[in-house]
Amino acid sequence: MQIFVTGATGFVGSAVVEELVDAGHGVTGLARSDASAQVLAAMGAAVRRGTLDDLDALRDGAAAADAVIHLAFNHDFSRFADNVAQDRRAIEALGGALQGSDRPLLATSGLALARQGDVATEADRTSPDFPRQSETAAFDLAARGVRASVVRLAPSTHGKGDHGFVPHLIGLAREKGIAAYVGDGLNRWPGVHRRDAARLFRLAIERGAQGEAWHAVDDEGVPFKAIAEIIGRRLGVPTVSLAPEEAEAHFGWFTFFAGMDIPASSAQTRAVLGWTPEHPGLLEDLDQDHYFAG
């Protein structure tokens, strides 16, 4: 297949491009800069210049492809509402170019704001009030006949080069001199290695059906305390429990995420797509030098 990929040079996107190329697919990546274009070329991908606001470039890229994987999202939380609207417009433009065909569109969502406490499954559907609208936009397209589906990424999609939640926690521990968790620290985060997530994207675009949600989850639920303990040991700082009323002073805007309890299953994803994670789990990966170098 010839696959058009947005977000193709990101932490997950670059792994997806490499996975697709290695599997023999042709890839065209959206690039907004010369630097991104050079990275794509080095990975063996073709380049389409444009941004998420360039809807004509998105439509043209999708129209010329056999399949589309949409990974791009602006994670600037200071402009979150604007970024959500931009993402929805992009998905609608991509899907519109595929409507009337059997060519698949795979959008990207997340589990970080799933309902608390229960083990989330692929059958769950996101509330219309969910802040990010990627999933809603994709399923709206599916209802209109587009072969659209969604990969929900674990909140810790980890690996060398990670710049997400875990590195933020490491930075806080360095700054504050403690590795902290909230209460008993038994709230759980799902995790997946970026390389395993990339393989899931490939399998979902090759084998997936319309209107499905797939869970990129290896570790169903890692206790937050266990994450903090590794960070504390590796940095040589105390691991400390904080009362809920103390948490905001330490975590700031990250307080909600530090307390979230969102275990998730990938049983259906594994059974239907034949996906089996092979790379290190979150705790094993976290306990490596690449997370603490520098």
Side-chain angles (χ1 to χ4, degrees):
M1 284 193 289
Q2 184 66 37
I3 303 172
F4 180 48
V5 181
T6 72
T9 59
F11 176 62
V12 177
S14 58
V16 171
V17 170
E18 291 172 353
E19 174 75 23
L20 294 172
V21 170
D22 288 347
H25 295 293
V27 177
T28 299
L30 185 71
R32 64 181 179 181
S33 68
D34 291 340
S36 293
Q38 290 169 5
V39 169
L40 284 169
M43 290 191 290
V47 176
R48 180 174 292 275
R49 295 299 295 264
T51 70
L52 288 185
D53 289 320
D54 188 347
L55 300 184
D56 286 338
L58 297 180
R59 293 186 190 100
D60 290 346
D66 300 311
V68 176
I69 299 177
H70 175 57
L71 284 144
F73 187 83
N74 186 337
H75 288 92
D76 179 358
F77 285 99
S78 70
R79 302 183 64 252
F80 191 70
D82 291 340
N83 298 335
V84 166
Q86 178 192 58
D87 180 54
R88 177 146 198 161
R89 287 192 299 270
I91 292 171
E92 289 171 348
L94 294 165
L98 300 174
Q99 193 154 7
S101 75
D102 192 43
R103 293 174 293 152
L105 166 64
L106 191 60
T108 308
S109 185
L111 289 159
L113 294 175
R115 68 177 187 269
Q116 299 281 314
D118 297 327
V119 177
T121 73
E122 295 89 341
D124 293 330
R125 287 296 177 260
T126 300
S127 165
D129 299 325
F130 192 77
R132 185 168 167 177
Q133 295 294 302
S134 314
E135 193 164 313
T136 302
F139 289 145
D140 285 350
L141 287 169
R144 287 161 37 195
V146 178
R147 191 179 159 198
S149 56
V150 172
V151 170
R152 295 170 177 158
L153 286 171
S156 181
T157 302
H158 54 86
K160 189 173 182 179
D162 185 0
H163 50 266
F165 284 177
V166 168
H168 182 72
L169 291 173
I170 294 170
L172 280 175
R174 283 194 168 113
E175 175 189 348
K176 308 277 187 173
I178 60 170
Y181 57 91
V182 182
D184 61 12
L186 298 182
N187 56 297
R188 298 153 293 176
W189 282 13
V192 68
H193 194 281
R194 67 187 283 261
R195 293 292 179 185
D196 286 320
R199 186 153 34 85
L200 173 54
F201 274 94
R202 176 176 64 79
L203 292 172
I205 207 70
E206 290 174 346
R207 308 178 187 178
Q210 181 174 320
E212 296 288 345
W214 310 109
H215 279 190
V217 172
D218 179 9
D219 298 301
E220 183 173 293
V222 177
F224 191 89
K225 181 180 179 181
I227 297 170
E229 286 173 338
I230 291 177
I231 293 172
R233 173 169 54 78
R234 294 291 304 224
L235 295 180
V237 300
T239 302
V240 176
S241 169
L242 300 177
E245 60 270 18
E246 300 173 309
E248 187 168 358
H250 179 86
F251 291 109
W253 64 268
F254 197 74
T255 302
F256 171 80
F257 298 103
M260 64 187 180
D261 183 39
I262 53 166
S265 168
S266 58
Q268 181 178 343
T269 297
R270 296 175 191 232
V272 174
L273 298 181
W275 178 65
T276 303
E278 299 174 350
H279 290 81
L282 174 56
L283 295 182
E284 180 184 352
D285 194 27
L286 173 58
D287 202 6
Q288 303 299 315
D289 290 344
H290 66 81
Y291 267 106
F292 299 94

